[in-house]
Amino acid sequence: MPALASGPARIRPAEAAARAVMLVLVAALTYAFTGSVAQLSWIALLAVAAAPSFLARGHAVLAPLGRFGEVVVTCLAAGSVSHAADVMGRVSGGFGAEAVLPYLAVPLLTAALRRRQTEGIALLGAAAVTMAVSGFAFGTMDRGYYAVCAQWLVQGAIITFATETMRQLLQPPDPTPQPYAEATRLLTQLRSVARSLPGATLDPGGISEHLLEELRVVAPGHRAAVLSASGGGRLVVLAQTGAERVDWETTLDADSGIADAWATQQPQTASRSQARSHQGGDVSSLVVPLVAGVRTIGLVILETDASGAYPSPVVQAVTEVTGPASLRLEAALLFDDVRSLATNEERQRLAREIHDGVAQELVMVGYGIDNAQATLPEGAEETAEELRTLRAEVTRVITELRLSLFELRSEVDRNGGLAAAIAEYARTLGTSAGLRVHFTFDESTARLPAATEAELLRIAQEAITNARKHAGASNLWVTCTVDPPYAEIEVSDDGKGFADTRPDGRYGLTIMAERAERIRGRLRITPRHPSGTTVAVVLGTPPRRDSVRDSVSAPEGE
């Protein structure tokens, strides 16, 4: 026997009482229309047919059969009662069927409330057929009989199709969402989960590198990479391995295995390279999408310089590794987004507080000094000189605050790129300090991950700020080379180098080193000949220059 769908059957008093009331009503109408006690046997038979519907309402077979039995008995009884009413002369024209057909609503409503619309349609079909058979069998061929049957079939259809809509209308509305409470709950869970992870890390680059190490065991390859989406229909390289740097195809609208794997969410093999700068020769490539739920979050690319290197067993082995890694990478990318949003929001909040708080108060102090200078009595030259010195210091501090606000609000525009953000910052600070700024940019159309670009911008800002504050330089050289996954930012000045050992300058160097380590970069600080300092951060392996990109050298703000 089929198992119960919802546990042991329990009689619901309200449901049993409703059926009992309907049976009593139908019995009373039947006797009133026919005056025959014999016709009440249909009501007894109907009660027997109704028993499984509430005694075993959760049973996968008995309950539907019970409702089917109720429909058949009701429609057979309609023909019999209609004929008996005509014979007795109490109700003519076949309208005696009105005595029994109201019960038809019971099984139909029960099926509808249990969201069994298919069953309800089947019951309506069984009712229509049984009504026609019953009318023919009992000789009730009057128009009134069929009119009554049609009326109750229409009402039954309304019950079947409108109950779910009524349920939704009568259902109380969902409580008003509490976004901050929900955010607090999710962030608390994230903190607990992150602490329990191996190494307590949610770094997309580290997870991608570990994935490539795992794949090295199960599949051959001279080159490999993990790519993720960065917006605008482009991909960014999270990690890669290979003897030489590879210029991977990063657009999703190109004719490539990368675009096909992203769109179909199925592994793609090809006998051509997925790199734009490949020199030709035998090659096999395998592109496996990283799918989390229904979303493609990234791709794994494997290539080797041989033909037919990725048969079905190898593809299967690779997907067994990438499957679990997809969830790990998605968690890391989501955490990266949350961290970036939180960091940017905090920087904007600090900028607002500084602007509305201490900056405004310093401006008022400056106005107060100006008023004091204007009201000084004649002959107070010493006091006037002190006030001028104090006013100059207040002006200097306000300028520093404004530059700090500009630094806090500076971000990498996803349309402008890293070089443009660094150039804008260097131009602004160079102008304020009277520095002659020289730019050299060599930026690919491909992009680094957003979090990596943000860290590189902060390192460049700190290096430029140190040169402006402590170096006493006249010239500043800013070089930005971006060719993902490689990047190098270099800031040089012609100042006094490391002669200044102020603690705040050393603290800035420590911050830069920490930021470089966070994105797995290398920070270099070297003396510049004949004077000054060079600060450089390098990410990845320098590319092999197969083509020349455009460079820009511009003096002082150009």
Side-chain angles (χ1 to χ4, degrees), residues 531-549:
S531 65
T533 305
T534 296
V535 178
V537 58
V538 181
L539 182 67
T541 304
R544 183 181 59 188
R545 293 298 182 179
D546 296 325
S547 60
V548 179
R549 291 190 175 87

PDB file of all heavy atoms in Angstrom, residues 531-549:
ATOM      1  N   SER A 531      69.058  61.477  -6.974  1.00  0.00           N
ATOM      2  CA  SER A 531      68.434  61.781  -5.684  1.00  0.00           C
ATOM      3  C   SER A 531      66.987  61.329  -5.728  1.00  0.00           C
ATOM      4  O   SER A 531      66.381  61.195  -6.786  1.00  0.00           O
ATOM      5  CB  SER A 531      68.513  63.284  -5.380  1.00  0.00           C
ATOM      6  OG  SER A 531      67.749  64.023  -6.318  1.00  0.00           O
ATOM      7  N   GLY A 532      66.450  61.138  -4.543  1.00  0.00           N
ATOM      8  CA  GLY A 532      65.040  60.780  -4.460  1.00  0.00           C
ATOM      9  C   GLY A 532      64.805  59.321  -4.151  1.00  0.00           C
ATOM     10  O   GLY A 532      65.732  58.567  -3.812  1.00  0.00           O
ATOM     11  N   THR A 533      63.563  58.914  -4.308  1.00  0.00           N
ATOM     12  CA  THR A 533      63.122  57.559  -3.946  1.00  0.00           C
ATOM     13  C   THR A 533      62.176  57.034  -5.013  1.00  0.00           C
ATOM     14  O   THR A 533      61.417  57.799  -5.616  1.00  0.00           O
ATOM     15  CB  THR A 533      62.390  57.575  -2.590  1.00  0.00           C
ATOM     16  OG1 THR A 533      63.238  58.165  -1.612  1.00  0.00           O
ATOM     17  CG2 THR A 533      62.016  56.170  -2.149  1.00  0.00           C
ATOM     18  N   THR A 534      62.219  55.735  -5.240  1.00  0.00           N
ATOM     19  CA  THR A 534      61.274  55.069  -6.137  1.00  0.00           C
ATOM     20  C   THR A 534      60.504  54.027  -5.341  1.00  0.00           C
ATOM     21  O   THR A 534      61.105  53.168  -4.687  1.00  0.00           O
ATOM     22  CB  THR A 534      62.000  54.386  -7.308  1.00  0.00           C
ATOM     23  OG1 THR A 534      62.650  55.383  -8.099  1.00  0.00           O
ATOM     24  CG2 THR A 534      61.018  53.614  -8.176  1.00  0.00           C
ATOM     25  N   VAL A 535      59.188  54.130  -5.383  1.00  0.00           N
ATOM     26  CA  VAL A 535      58.299  53.152  -4.749  1.00  0.00           C
ATOM     27  C   VAL A 535      57.539  52.448  -5.858  1.00  0.00           C
ATOM     28  O   VAL A 535      56.902  53.105  -6.694  1.00  0.00           O
ATOM     29  CB  VAL A 535      57.322  53.827  -3.775  1.00  0.00           C
ATOM     30  CG1 VAL A 535      56.373  52.796  -3.172  1.00  0.00           C
ATOM     31  CG2 VAL A 535      58.074  54.554  -2.668  1.00  0.00           C
ATOM     32  N   ALA A 536      57.639  51.141  -5.891  1.00  0.00           N
ATOM     33  CA  ALA A 536      56.974  50.372  -6.950  1.00  0.00           C
ATOM     34  C   ALA A 536      56.256  49.184  -6.332  1.00  0.00           C
ATOM     35  O   ALA A 536      56.756  48.560  -5.396  1.00  0.00           O
ATOM     36  CB  ALA A 536      57.976  49.895  -7.989  1.00  0.00           C
ATOM     37  N   VAL A 537      55.057  48.888  -6.856  1.00  0.00           N
ATOM     38  CA  VAL A 537      54.332  47.678  -6.488  1.00  0.00           C
ATOM     39  C   VAL A 537      54.127  46.876  -7.764  1.00  0.00           C
ATOM     40  O   VAL A 537      53.709  47.424  -8.795  1.00  0.00           O
ATOM     41  CB  VAL A 537      52.986  48.005  -5.797  1.00  0.00           C
ATOM     42  CG1 VAL A 537      52.091  48.858  -6.681  1.00  0.00           C
ATOM     43  CG2 VAL A 537      52.260  46.717  -5.406  1.00  0.00           C
ATOM     44  N   VAL A 538      54.474  45.604  -7.709  1.00  0.00           N
ATOM     45  CA  VAL A 538      54.416  44.726  -8.883  1.00  0.00           C
ATOM     46  C   VAL A 538      53.476  43.573  -8.572  1.00  0.00           C
ATOM     47  O   VAL A 538      53.578  42.935  -7.517  1.00  0.00           O
ATOM     48  CB  VAL A 538      55.811  44.196  -9.258  1.00  0.00           C
ATOM     49  CG1 VAL A 538      55.725  43.301 -10.495  1.00  0.00           C
ATOM     50  CG2 VAL A 538      56.769  45.344  -9.489  1.00  0.00           C
ATOM     51  N   LEU A 539      52.594  43.306  -9.510  1.00  0.00           N
ATOM     52  CA  LEU A 539      51.627  42.224  -9.365  1.00  0.00           C
ATOM     53  C   LEU A 539      51.760  41.284 -10.551  1.00  0.00           C
ATOM     54  O   LEU A 539      51.666  41.710 -11.701  1.00  0.00           O
ATOM     55  CB  LEU A 539      50.206  42.802  -9.299  1.00  0.00           C
ATOM     56  CG  LEU A 539      49.056  41.820  -9.095  1.00  0.00           C
ATOM     57  CD1 LEU A 539      49.123  41.193  -7.715  1.00  0.00           C
ATOM     58  CD2 LEU A 539      47.721  42.523  -9.280  1.00  0.00           C
ATOM     59  N   GLY A 540      52.015  40.006 -10.277  1.00  0.00           N
ATOM     60  CA  GLY A 540      52.108  39.030 -11.347  1.00  0.00           C
ATOM     61  C   GLY A 540      53.464  39.030 -12.030  1.00  0.00           C
ATOM     62  O   GLY A 540      54.438  39.615 -11.563  1.00  0.00           O
ATOM     63  N   THR A 541      53.508  38.368 -13.198  1.00  0.00           N
ATOM     64  CA  THR A 541      54.746  38.217 -13.967  1.00  0.00           C
ATOM     65  C   THR A 541      54.748  39.195 -15.134  1.00  0.00           C
ATOM     66  O   THR A 541      53.736  39.320 -15.821  1.00  0.00           O
ATOM     67  CB  THR A 541      54.849  36.787 -14.524  1.00  0.00           C
ATOM     68  OG1 THR A 541      54.760  35.874 -13.428  1.00  0.00           O
ATOM     69  CG2 THR A 541      56.158  36.570 -15.250  1.00  0.00           C
ATOM     70  N   PRO A 542      55.842  39.895 -15.377  1.00  0.00           N
ATOM     71  CA  PRO A 542      55.876  40.854 -16.495  1.00  0.00           C
ATOM     72  C   PRO A 542      55.551  40.168 -17.813  1.00  0.00           C
ATOM     73  O   PRO A 542      55.990  39.042 -18.065  1.00  0.00           O
ATOM     74  CB  PRO A 542      57.320  41.379 -16.479  1.00  0.00           C
ATOM     75  CG  PRO A 542      57.797  41.132 -15.088  1.00  0.00           C
ATOM     76  CD  PRO A 542      57.103  39.884 -14.630  1.00  0.00           C
ATOM     77  N   PRO A 543      54.765  40.825 -18.654  1.00  0.00           N
ATOM     78  CA  PRO A 543      54.374  40.212 -19.932  1.00  0.00           C
ATOM     79  C   PRO A 543      55.508  40.215 -20.935  1.00  0.00           C
ATOM     80  O   PRO A 543      56.426  41.025 -20.859  1.00  0.00           O
ATOM     81  CB  PRO A 543      53.224  41.092 -20.401  1.00  0.00           C
ATOM     82  CG  PRO A 543      53.525  42.427 -19.802  1.00  0.00           C
ATOM     83  CD  PRO A 543      54.167  42.150 -18.471  1.00  0.00           C
ATOM     84  N   ARG A 544      55.414  39.300 -21.873  1.00  0.00           N
ATOM     85  CA  ARG A 544      56.333  39.297 -23.002  1.00  0.00           C
ATOM     86  C   ARG A 544      55.791  40.257 -24.035  1.00  0.00           C
ATOM     87  O   ARG A 544      54.651  40.137 -24.476  1.00  0.00           O
ATOM     88  CB  ARG A 544      56.408  37.896 -23.607  1.00  0.00           C
ATOM     89  CG  ARG A 544      57.411  37.776 -24.747  1.00  0.00           C
ATOM     90  CD  ARG A 544      57.382  36.380 -25.290  1.00  0.00           C
ATOM     91  NE  ARG A 544      56.040  36.044 -25.771  1.00  0.00           N
ATOM     92  CZ  ARG A 544      55.693  34.828 -26.161  1.00  0.00           C
ATOM     93  NH1 ARG A 544      56.558  33.840 -26.083  1.00  0.00           N
ATOM     94  NH2 ARG A 544      54.466  34.596 -26.587  1.00  0.00           N
ATOM     95  N   ARG A 545      56.544  41.245 -24.411  1.00  0.00           N
ATOM     96  CA  ARG A 545      56.057  42.311 -25.276  1.00  0.00           C
ATOM     97  C   ARG A 545      56.017  41.851 -26.735  1.00  0.00           C
ATOM     98  O   ARG A 545      56.995  41.946 -27.460  1.00  0.00           O
ATOM     99  CB  ARG A 545      56.937  43.554 -25.141  1.00  0.00           C
ATOM    100  CG  ARG A 545      56.849  44.200 -23.769  1.00  0.00           C
ATOM    101  CD  ARG A 545      55.429  44.663 -23.512  1.00  0.00           C
ATOM    102  NE  ARG A 545      55.322  45.324 -22.222  1.00  0.00           N
ATOM    103  CZ  ARG A 545      54.213  45.847 -21.753  1.00  0.00           C
ATOM    104  NH1 ARG A 545      53.119  45.765 -22.464  1.00  0.00           N
ATOM    105  NH2 ARG A 545      54.170  46.429 -20.581  1.00  0.00           N
ATOM    106  N   ASP A 546      54.869  41.328 -27.155  1.00  0.00           N
ATOM    107  CA  ASP A 546      54.712  40.946 -28.552  1.00  0.00           C
ATOM    108  C   ASP A 546      54.149  42.095 -29.383  1.00  0.00           C
ATOM    109  O   ASP A 546      54.156  42.060 -30.599  1.00  0.00           O
ATOM    110  CB  ASP A 546      53.767  39.744 -28.665  1.00  0.00           C
ATOM    111  CG  ASP A 546      54.360  38.516 -27.993  1.00  0.00           C
ATOM    112  OD1 ASP A 546      55.590  38.359 -28.054  1.00  0.00           O
ATOM    113  OD2 ASP A 546      53.597  37.732 -27.415  1.00  0.00           O
ATOM    114  N   SER A 547      53.603  43.073 -28.713  1.00  0.00           N
ATOM    115  CA  SER A 547      53.039  44.216 -29.423  1.00  0.00           C
ATOM    116  C   SER A 547      53.270  45.456 -28.585  1.00  0.00           C
ATOM    117  O   SER A 547      53.522  45.393 -27.396  1.00  0.00           O
ATOM    118  CB  SER A 547      51.528  44.019 -29.668  1.00  0.00           C
ATOM    119  OG  SER A 547      50.860  43.882 -28.429  1.00  0.00           O
ATOM    120  N   VAL A 548      53.208  46.578 -29.227  1.00  0.00           N
ATOM    121  CA  VAL A 548      53.454  47.844 -28.547  1.00  0.00           C
ATOM    122  C   VAL A 548      52.119  48.524 -28.303  1.00  0.00           C
ATOM    123  O   VAL A 548      51.334  48.723 -29.222  1.00  0.00           O
ATOM    124  CB  VAL A 548      54.366  48.750 -29.391  1.00  0.00           C
ATOM    125  CG1 VAL A 548      54.582  50.078 -28.682  1.00  0.00           C
ATOM    126  CG2 VAL A 548      55.694  48.060 -29.654  1.00  0.00           C
ATOM    127  N   ARG A 549      51.885  48.858 -27.058  1.00  0.00           N
ATOM    128  CA  ARG A 549      50.660  49.589 -26.717  1.00  0.00           C
ATOM    129  C   ARG A 549      50.979  51.073 -26.672  1.00  0.00           C
ATOM    130  O   ARG A 549      52.122  51.492 -26.527  1.00  0.00           O
ATOM    131  CB  ARG A 549      50.101  49.124 -25.374  1.00  0.00           C
ATOM    132  CG  ARG A 549      49.542  47.720 -25.415  1.00  0.00           C
ATOM    133  CD  ARG A 549      48.792  47.458 -24.129  1.00  0.00           C
ATOM    134  NE  ARG A 549      48.140  46.166 -24.175  1.00  0.00           N
ATOM    135  CZ  ARG A 549      48.724  45.028 -23.834  1.00  0.00           C
ATOM    136  NH1 ARG A 549      49.964  45.019 -23.433  1.00  0.00           N
ATOM    137  NH2 ARG A 549      48.061  43.893 -23.902  1.00  0.00           N
TER     138      ARG A 549
END
